Amino acid sequence: MGQIKILLLIGAIALGLFTFLEVALRALFGLGKPLIYKVDPEIGYLLAPSQTTRRFGNRITINQYSMRSPEISEQPEPGTQRILLLGDSIANGGWWTDQEQILSTSIGNKLKEESGKPVEVLNISANSWCPRNEIAYLRQYGTFGAEAIILLINTDDLFGTAPTSIPVGRDRFYPSHYPPLGIVEAFTRFVLPYESPPEMAAVRAEKGDRVGFNLQAIREIHTCAQENQARVLLAMTPLKRELGEPGPRDYEWKARNRLSALTEERQIPYIDFLPIFNAQENLDSLYRDHIHLSPLGNQLVTNSLCTTGFGG
């Protein structure tokens, strides 16, 4: 009987520790409730609609149209200025940015403060999107009565591949359902080595003029905006390694020049953040990693976008 009691005690302690760990992972880090993605045949993938979570202390809200924004009406209320922010993880903010600090919120707050009028900046974005995903979204959902569209890209987006749904439910960063436990997510996300679905190799090896494909998508975004009486502002943030010397690589300069030619051809207002970032004193302070912006970098982007007079 003594051995049975000891085994029961050990089992109770183990169960208690397991329960404590599970509760802690969920309460402190939000593990067990990641953002869920859904497959779309044209867009490739997008965030599943109407979900809310808190990850590593940061609140994330996805509305009924898969935007990182509160629930909205299909058309803006009378007197409300509505702007669309199109982008990838830089616009989205990811798990590392609270809902109140993402770019769309920051831009909306600044424009509201300056004009004293109601402003909505809707955040249409997802990790690793490029202009080809973004035009597919606009074709499917429309422009929601927006009077302006901010297309925020980064240098890598000019080389983005065709939309694909391969990662959804197979890549650990694009889950299609909740894991059974926070402990399971912690193990699969942070312990197991990362493996991309093997079919992604063919996607990444896409042949043809990728820059041309994405420039065409930008043309189509501009055309879609014009057809819906909306203005477009194009802005591009650089990769961290592009700052300082030696600057962008030769193939990146060629792509940048093609983009500049497109903005001149279409008369699209264009903000290149490469010289703006290079003019700052502490370049490292603008980034949280090699591509994503820090709060200081986000503030610089917000100020630059709002001081163009575009939002007024």
Side-chain angles (χ1 to χ4, degrees):
M1 292 296 293
Q3 288 183 336
I4 293 176
K5 288 183 178 179
I6 291 173
L7 290 174
L8 288 174
L9 179 61
I10 291 172
I13 292 173
L15 179 60
L17 290 173
F18 182 90
T19 302
F20 174 80
L21 180 59
E22 176 67 19
V23 171
L25 289 173
R26 286 181 176 272
L28 297 177
F29 306 109
L31 294 175
K33 193 181 179 184
L35 286 176
I36 300 303
Y37 287 80
K38 73 170 190 175
V39 168
D40 185 277
E42 301 299 326
I43 303 170
Y45 58 85
L46 66 169
L47 289 159
S50 302
Q51 54 178 321
T52 300
T53 190
R54 187 177 292 273
R55 301 284 280 180
F56 299 91
N58 295 313
R59 186 172 57 88
I60 302 173
T61 298
I62 308 300
N63 72 11
Q64 74 270 43
Y65 297 110
S66 297
M67 305 172 183
R68 188 171 180 184
S69 297
E71 299 282 306
I72 62 166
S73 58
E74 190 169 355
Q75 296 295 314
E77 296 295 325
T80 296
Q81 181 185 20
R82 177 172 283 183
I83 297 171
L84 304 186
L85 175 65
L86 287 177
D88 59 5
S89 55
I90 294 172
N92 184 274
W95 59 262
W96 54 87
T97 313
D98 187 79
Q99 194 78 16
E100 291 303 310
Q101 297 175 326
I102 56 176
L103 275 170
S104 50
T105 302
S106 180
I107 293 167
N109 288 342
K110 188 169 181 62
L111 292 176
K112 202 178 304 180
E113 180 183 320
E114 292 175 350
S115 69
K117 299 176 182 178
V119 179
E120 291 178 327
V121 181
L122 307 183
N123 192 316
I124 301 173
S125 60
N127 292 348
S128 298
W129 269 9
C130 70
R132 298 156 82 175
N133 304 89
E134 292 146 14
I135 182 57
Y137 182 99
L138 293 182
R139 288 195 194 107
Q140 186 170 147
Y141 289 92
T143 60
F144 298 93
E147 64 181 65
I149 297 175
I150 300 171
L151 176 57
L152 179 65
I153 64 174
N154 69 78
T155 308
D156 274 355
D157 290 342
L158 294 175
F159 306 90
T161 53
T164 178
S165 60
I166 290 171
V168 178
R170 301 180 61 198
D171 187 309
R172 66 189 183 193
F173 296 115
Y174 298 88
S176 58
H177 59 276
Y178 294 135
L181 296 166
I183 292 172
V184 171
E185 185 185 4
F187 182 76
T188 56
R189 185 173 283 252
F190 302 114
V191 178
L192 292 180
Y194 173 72
E195 293 184 3
S196 176
E199 294 89 345
M200 285 300 297
V203 175
R204 297 190 195 99
E206 180 186 23
K207 299 186 183 302
D209 180 9
R210 281 197 214 168
V211 174
F213 298 152
N214 283 294
L215 293 179
Q216 179 58 30
I218 293 172
R219 287 189 186 90
E220 292 174 14
I221 290 171
H222 184 234
T223 298
C224 177
Q226 289 181 315
E227 290 173 350
N228 289 276
Q229 292 77 52
R231 296 169 290 162
V232 173
L233 170 64
L234 174 64
M236 184 164 73
T237 59
L239 304 173
K240 186 177 179 180
R241 65 165 172 75
E242 293 183 271
L243 301 181
E245 296 297 336
R249 295 167 180 167
D250 287 345
Y251 68 88
E252 290 167 339
W253 277 123
K254 292 177 182 177
R256 284 175 163 275
N257 291 336
R258 293 177 67 182
L259 178 64
S260 295
L262 169 60
T263 61
E264 292 175 6
E265 168 201 330
R266 286 288 184 121
Q267 296 185 327
I268 302 172
Y270 171 46
I271 300 177
D272 180 1
F273 279 99
L274 180 61
I276 296 173
F277 281 16
N278 270 329
Q280 305 306 303
E281 291 185 2
N282 187 353
L283 301 182
D284 286 340
S285 68
L286 301 175
Y287 289 82
R288 56 174 290 109
D289 54 27
H290 74 289
I291 188 170
H292 298 108
L293 304 179
S294 68
L296 184 61
N298 277 344
Q299 192 58 54
L300 181 57
V301 169
T302 295
N303 292 342
S304 297
L305 291 173
C306 293
T307 54
T308 60
F310 181 76

